[in-house]
Amino acid sequence: MQPNLSDPVFQKVFWDRLISVTNEQAAALIRTGFTPILRDAQDLSAGVFDARARMIAQSVTGTPGHINSMATGMRHVVEEYPSELLEPGDVLITNDPWFTSGHLNDLTVATPVFRGTTLVGFFANTCHAVDIGGLPLSADARDVYEEGLAIPIMKLYKRGEPNEDLFKILRSNVRAPLLVLGDLHAQVACNDVGGRRLLSLLDEFELEDMKGIAELIVQRSEIAMREAIAALPNGHYAAETWADGFDTPIHIKATVTVADDELIIDYNGTSPQSRYGINVPLNYTLAYTTFAVKAAISPEVPNNHGSFRPVHVTAPPGCILNAQRPAPVAARAILGHFLPGVVFRALGEVVGERAMAAGADSIWLITVHGGQQAGEDFTYTFFSIGGTGARAVKDGLATTGFPSGVAGCPAEVTESLSPIIVRERELKTDSGGAGRYRGGLSQRLALGIRSGRPYGIAATCDRTQFAAEGVAGGCPGMKARNTLDTGEAINLKSTQQVPPERQVIMTLPGGGGFGHPFDRPVEAVFEDVLNGYISLEAARSDYGVAIERTAPEDELVLLRDDFRIDEAATRQLRAGRRPDCLAGAQEQPAAPDC
């Protein structure tokens, strides 16, 4: 007997089971993947779509840039291949930056699910390929054609048979064919797992298809999102920030308009697109903007087609956040990752405890390539992460992948799979912006090579010129810095060729502080000193807390009793002057707009 779709018990059970199916899909992808960026960093998305290609549910694992751009991008897939052109056993693929997640390295694989001859839905996933040909991943390219192999929306498998010509083209155009094709086969396999589990679920509940339950999920999610928006006061809210850019600073401006139960985010006033590969297609802009809205006002609402409906994102064509073909876009994450922070700060006055200072924003995707001792070439990609901004009620998080959610790769994994040596990795003292709540700490990373051969390195890095801003009297975080071990500064947005005897030193940016530093409890400052998060000097200059070290200078292991708070000096410091970190605020350049 078919279930009653209006029964709340059935709705809850089916929803939980559907989420478990998408989680199993993602788990299959992670377990069968070949590269650390998939297995360890989990730079991926996985989700289930109805027959109309509307995203119904996603796995708990994945990045917003992949998940939300895949959710909107699937409409392009079904426009190219409507249901009458699909058959059981077909698998579709594309890496079109303007249809999916913004650059050629991300491969989206979609598999239609049939019950007999009836299309009941799709499973799809997006993963970062370690290589896609063209220039090594960086912002060096002058157009998208230099950035690698473009795959239009096409069939990777037809009736269960692989498109061998496409596989040959892929194999011949990438630097690491075993890894790229290994991950691609994992993408196909995980969709198959999801499809089989969905059909089993429909059989168990005696449902012919997902039409009824999918429509119910979409409607309920839309209603919940509209209620969350309607709870905000109508009005216009704006925020702006600056990013390094490639050769000139980039201005990002967001205006958020609350209009009853709808939200409009407009990026008019942002810088025009660049001639370098830091441009962002609108689909990727939309992905990180819708994520920010959900995180700021409705984290409990499911992320699907329904929750996207009341949120509208615009940016003028030719703006760096709506770059037009054939703009280079390989390093689009640099600026795309700035967007949640700008939206959070625009809504800061109305979201209460969820308000947040600026963070590192850009997740550093580091690509190293060169020759190994045996003579063959290698390409290796991994993430390194700075600090998040402090929250209205909590400190920022150290070295945490916000907004993307990716994980850093263990040094042991990197060293076992490549000739890279991680010489140093440590939390950077004093890198979090001072505040009532302290910004998250960054890290210092020193990389070398053991092959004895020169190597190339690039990273999607930023905040070397413009620190993460504090909020409500909080101080900015520490700026990033990239050098060789000789002290020579280098620009890792562009691929740098490094001699084998040299190391690359990366100091990532810290998060901004929230609230005035002199309002931070003295005991909390003392604990930060004990933990090595802030120095004795910063405790005095930025927090107005005088702490003395009572242990001998040559004593290496220090305990709580080896430090003492000078309460009288602290009262005097906090009564008399401004924190040093708030002095001399950086003057912003004139803002070009598109």
Side-chain angles (χ1 to χ4, degrees), residues 138 140 369 455-458 484 488-498 504:
S138 67
D140 291 324
H369 58 92
Y455 60 101
I457 182 170
L484 298 178
E488 177 188 351
I490 55 175
N491 177 15
L492 288 181
K493 288 189 181 71
S494 180
T495 298
Q496 302 294 311
Q497 298 300 322
V498 183
V504 175

Side-chain angles (χ1 to χ4, degrees), residues 103 161-162 207 319 326 339 390 407 460 482 502 590:
H103 71 176
E161 295 298 322
L207 292 171
C319 167
L339 304 184
T460 57
N482 298 309
R502 294 271 68 89

Side-chain angles (χ1 to χ4, degrees), residues 94-182:
T94 187
N95 67 344
D96 189 310
W98 282 267
F99 288 171
T100 53
S101 70
H103 71 176
L104 294 172
N105 281 76
D106 286 341
L107 301 180
T108 296
V109 174
T111 304
V113 180
F114 286 85
R115 192 168 194 182
T117 59
T118 302
L119 178 67
V120 297
F122 295 84
F123 277 85
N125 67 83
T126 300
C127 295
H128 182 97
V130 68
D131 188 74
I132 200 64
L135 294 172
L137 182 63
S138 67
D140 291 324
R142 300 304 176 92
D143 60 43
V144 73
Y145 302 112
E146 293 183 353
E147 294 181 327
L149 178 68
I151 306 169
I153 300 170
M154 61 187 301
K155 290 188 178 182
L156 182 67
Y157 281 73
K158 185 173 183 177
R159 298 179 185 173
E161 295 298 322
N163 182 343
E164 292 294 354
D165 289 337
L166 178 55
F167 276 103
K168 288 178 182 178
I169 291 171
L170 281 164
R171 193 175 294 113
S172 299
N173 278 273
V174 300
R175 296 173 179 84
L178 176 65
L179 299 178
V180 172
L181 294 183

Side-chain angles (χ1 to χ4, degrees), residues 330-373:
R332 89 290 189 235
I334 294 176
L335 296 181
H337 287 173
F338 273 75
L339 304 184
V342 178
V343 173
F344 260 83
R345 291 194 295 285
L347 290 172
E349 62 182 277
V350 295
V351 296
E353 293 184 353
R354 294 197 185 106
M356 189 175 183
D361 291 332
S362 288
I363 308 300
W364 290 28
L365 179 60
I366 302 167
T367 300
V368 185
H369 58 92
Q372 303 199 59
Q373 289 172 322

Side-chain angles (χ1 to χ4, degrees), residues 307-323:
S307 62
F308 299 146
R309 276 180 171 171
V311 182
H312 311 281
V313 181
T314 62
C319 167
I320 203 165
L321 299 179
N322 187 4

Side-chain angles (χ1 to χ4, degrees), residues 7-69:
D7 179 3
V9 174
F10 163 75
Q11 293 172 7
K12 173 62 174 172
V13 171
F14 191 91
W15 173 253
D16 288 345
R17 294 287 298 279
L18 195 60
I19 293 296
S20 72
V21 169
T22 61
N23 287 339
E24 189 170 353
Q25 175 198 8
L29 178 55
I30 293 167
R31 290 170 182 166
T32 56
F34 277 48
T35 60
I37 199 168
L38 197 164
R39 292 193 318 263
D40 298 291
Q42 299 179 9
D43 189 21
L44 59 91
S45 68
V48 60
F49 298 73
D50 68 5
R52 296 163 58 186
R54 302 181 302 177
M55 190 171 80
I56 305 303
Q58 65 164 85
S59 68
V60 297
T61 300
T63 75
H66 285 161
I67 291 167
N68 288 6
S69 62

Side-chain angles (χ1 to χ4, degrees), residues 250 270-274 278-281 318-323 335 594:
I250 299 297
T270 295
S271 295
Q273 67 187 54
S274 170
I278 58 174
N279 299 294
V280 188
C319 167
I320 203 165
L321 299 179
N322 187 4
L335 296 181
C594 54

Side-chain angles (χ1 to χ4, degrees), residues 556-588:
L556 298 179
V557 178
L558 298 174
L559 304 175
R560 175 180 292 270
D561 291 343
D562 295 323
F563 295 91
R564 183 182 69 84
I565 299 171
D566 186 331
E567 295 182 359
T570 296
R571 286 193 296 271
Q572 185 176 7
L573 285 170
R574 289 194 159 189
R577 61 179 186 79
R578 193 181 186 200
D580 287 356
C581 59
L582 288 175
Q586 184 173 355
E587 184 176 342
Q588 307 293 5

